[in-house]
Amino acid sequence: MLIKNASILFGKELDFIANTDIKIQDDKFQQIKSNIRPSRNEDTIDCEGLLIIPGFVNCHTHIGDSIAKDITLNRSVDQKIHPVSGAKAVILKNTDKKYLATFMKNSCYSMLNKGITTFVDFREGGIEGVSLLQQVVSELPLRSIILGRLEFYQNSTEIKKNISLPSDKINELTQLLMKCDGIGISGANENSSSVLNYYSQISKIRAIHSSETTQSMAVSKKNTGISETQRALILKPDFLVHMTHATPNDIHAATKITRGIVICPRANAALAEGIPDIELMQKTGCIIGIGTDNVMINSPDMFREMDYLWKVTMGIHKKRIDPREILKMATVNGGKILKKDIGVIENGKLADCIFIDKHALDLEPMHNPYASIVHRASESTIRAVMIGGKIVIGKI
Ligand SMILES: [Zn+2]
């Protein structure tokens, strides 16, 4: 396929090119330059008026709780989402899997319509939970990275005694990992150092929630004497999620040891937990990705996430983050954190992208494409979404 006369945000720096052609072969961007001649019988599409940006990489979701939208709205974080005692855990356990799957699928369609081409789900429910999500995504073009977990949570006494992972759980873990892309741990507070250390030897993706709430920070200090992030780093995680209350030392250590931090600003705000220190993360050279977290708490919409992040950081700190950097967090950085050929329009990368209508009512005249995408674009300004070289939503 040959795309002619498109504006694009090219490469890892999302450089704006006003007019160029893109050749797509198989599932990849093969060539990007102006005046490419079509080969014989090649589909040629004139994309005048469209801006092509990389597909969004939603680096942190729990779509399993899509059935529980806005329940327990005024309860504490633990009452909502504690992995053992929270309302979410009870609902996931007691609801017919068929109903869970229906609403998980709806969230996948919602993400596709909003230009999310890859999502990383922290799937609860052990092997069964992973299988259910796999079944849902198998019928959809959306790319999924499924990080499973054992339904194995230790209490403070077991953590203090540093109890190891029991042998039946070791076997279960081996089977779980054969079915998914890695492990997404609920947090260091439910795992002894010995268990975290065992998980650190997993050769697939390792990720963990960390320093999400003031309460989880306090629990870690009380039970172990050290910070939650310091303990989370025992996992040697590829990335950490949240870091809302991380100390400067935690952020420095995370930047050194991990590939990046995934922030979930709207979910943190919805739980009245504040906003992570993005400025310090940027100063330390940390790669920042964005996730929309639980569907129960927040909508899986990266446009809203970027808009909110931009405004709330300006509102609180009276400082601007470059909107280009925010757009990178939603695209390029996700590819870097996950070490996948996604999130960037470049030769050889997977052809996942969004075709934005530059003449949309909300966008024209587009004086700054980065600001336009970050705080004006929405599902309604998308003309089409492409995954792996195929148009999966809309038409060009
Ligand atoms: Zn989460």
Side-chain angles (χ1 to χ4, degrees), residues 60-62 81 88 122 149 209 212 241-242 264 293-294:
H60 183 64
T61 65
H62 302 266
I81 55 170
K88 166 184 151 168
F122 282 48
R149 71 168 75 146
H209 296 87
E212 180 180 6
V241 181
H242 292 305
C264 308
D293 210 354
N294 304 68

Side-chain angles (χ1 to χ4, degrees), residues 30-63:
Q30 203 211 20
Q31 198 179 23
I32 301 161
K33 63 173 195 171
S34 45
N35 299 318
I36 303 176
R37 291 251 180 101
S39 38
R40 226 176 354 143
N41 301 328
E42 188 171 34
D43 268 353
T44 303
I45 302 164
D46 191 347
C47 283
E48 174 79 57
L50 296 179
L51 168 65
I52 307 177
I53 69 169
F56 294 131
V57 182
N58 187 351
C59 284
H60 183 64
T61 65
H62 302 266
I63 67 163

Side-chain angles (χ1 to χ4, degrees), residues 349-374:
K349 302 288 182 184
L350 288 165
D352 297 356
C353 55
I354 310 168
F355 297 75
I356 304 270
D357 182 1
K358 286 195 289 183
H359 304 303
L361 290 176
D362 288 331
L363 304 183
E364 195 172 43
M366 192 185 275
H367 295 301
N368 180 322
Y370 309 105
S372 281
I373 304 297
V374 165

Side-chain angles (χ1 to χ4, degrees), residues 68 195 322 332:
V195 170
D322 184 347
V332 181

Side-chain angles (χ1 to χ4, degrees), residues 56-62 111 116-122 145 147 205 207-209 239-242 260-264 287-293 302 305 328-339 342:
F56 294 131
V57 182
N58 187 351
C59 284
H60 183 64
T61 65
H62 302 266
M111 287 195 278
I116 294 167
T117 50
T118 299
F119 74 108
V120 183
D121 200 80
F122 282 48
I145 293 174
L147 305 182
I205 299 174
I208 184 165
H209 296 87
F239 62 95
L240 295 166
V241 181
H242 292 305
I261 294 173
V262 171
I263 56 168
C264 308
I287 298 173
I288 304 170
I290 296 179
T292 57
D293 210 354
M302 296 291 272
E305 207 67 52
K328 279 190 203 169
M329 292 176 200
T331 55
V332 181
N333 292 3
K336 286 184 185 171
I337 287 173
L338 297 163
K339 262 194 159 171
I342 54 171

Side-chain angles (χ1 to χ4, degrees), residues 58 60-63 65-66 69-70 107 110-111 114 116 266-267 270 290-306:
N58 187 351
H60 183 64
T61 65
H62 302 266
I63 67 163
D65 59 21
S66 299
K69 293 179 184 82
D70 303 324
S107 289
S110 166
M111 287 195 278
K114 293 175 178 68
I116 294 167
R266 280 190 308 150
I290 296 179
T292 57
D293 210 354
N294 304 68
V295 180
M296 174 182 161
I297 293 164
N298 191 27
S299 57
D301 185 337
M302 296 291 272
F303 288 118
R304 284 191 181 193
E305 207 67 52
M306 291 191 293

Side-chain angles (χ1 to χ4, degrees), residues 24 32 38 60 77 83 90 117 124 138 149 153 194 200-201 207 221 277 305 337 340 345 350 352:
I24 293 165
I32 301 161
H60 183 64
V77 179
V90 176
T117 50
E124 309 82 355
S138 67
R149 71 168 75 146
Y153 306 100
S194 164
S200 76
Q201 292 156 39
K221 272 270 179 234
D277 190 347
E305 207 67 52
I337 287 173
K340 305 268 182 205
I345 299 174
L350 288 165
D352 297 356

